[in-house]
Amino acid sequence: AQSVTQLDSQVPVFEEAPVELRCNYSSSVSVYLFWYVQYPNQGLQLLLKYLSGSTLVKGINGFEAEFNKSQTSFHLRKPSVHISDTAEYFCAVSLSGGYNKLIFGAGTRLAVHP
Amino acid sequence: SAVISQKPSRDICQRGTSLTIQCQVDSQVTMMFWYRQQPGQSLTLIATANQGSEATYESGFVIDKFPISRPNLTFSTLTVSNMSPEDSSIYLCSVGGSGRATYEQYFGPGTRLTVT
């Protein structure tokens, strides 16, 4: 079975500062990895995904993530955050090879302060 | 990416009643999923709905409580039956497989359900 651990439930940061949201996963088989963002009272929006190939993936809104197989991590980073990045961020994993169910982490609330 | 709509966007229901949530996609998709997000929590998969076959339910979810229909490749419904306050959640549908094999899922805006 797969599982996802998001190490920080809340991350406060000042505007224009860099941020890293941490995600570790557990799986005995090959997986796909995703980061989603949920703005207040909205559905989930896909930020980026890792399927295979280059371990550094770039997504929307200036976010990027690095897949580290040895550490089973998929941390999300942004070099300079904006107030508008304030939201809940979810890391998710699915079995590779098809459209399989997503298993989500508990989420990290990013709060960007002026 | 697919454009997904859900109806209703929110509802307040009495305990013991049932609510049917609709999920409509603007393109044909092979996979549709229904998730639940309890207040302040993450998302949990309820079931996978494939066209032409019975839905596949996750552990802890049963068809009698959450019957699902998938009559075609662009539409699905989830019914929350005999509701109790514990069913108060956001219910989201997601879709995948609308063309190129991107393996990503797109989510609808969700249905916010409150049971009193």
Side-chain angles (χ1 to χ4, degrees), chain A residues 36-101:
Chain A
Y36 284 87
V37 60
Q38 186 176 37
Y39 298 102
N41 300 313
Q42 295 187 28
L44 272 71
Q45 181 181 9
L46 179 67
L47 277 176
L48 47 79
K49 66 183 180 186
Y50 173 79
L51 304 182
S52 65
S54 174
T55 58
L56 182 64
V57 292
K58 294 189 182 298
I60 62 171
N61 301 341
F63 284 94
E64 64 181 33
E66 186 158 17
F67 170 63
N68 187 318
K69 187 173 182 179
S70 62
Q71 297 187 6
T72 61
S73 68
F74 190 54
H75 300 334
L76 182 70
R77 302 186 183 100
K78 186 170 183 178
S80 176
V81 295
H82 303 290
I83 296 288
S84 59
D85 292 322
T86 295
E88 189 85 18
Y89 291 80
F90 292 98
C91 181
V93 64
S94 73
L95 289 176
S96 65
Y99 288 93
N100 296 301
K101 69 177 183 182

Side-chain angles (χ1 to χ4, degrees), chain B residues 45-50 53-58 61 68:
Chain B
L45 181 67
I46 298 172
T48 302
N50 295 328
S53 63
E54 294 275 340
T56 303
Y57 289 83
E58 295 298 302
F61 297 96
I68 287 171

Side-chain angles (χ1 to χ4, degrees), chain B residues 87-110:
Chain B
D87 294 320
S88 296
S89 295
I90 300 172
Y91 292 87
L92 301 103
C93 70
S94 75
V95 305
S98 62
R100 294 184 301 118
T102 59
Y103 305 116
E104 55 205 37
Q105 291 182 29
Y106 296 99
F107 283 79

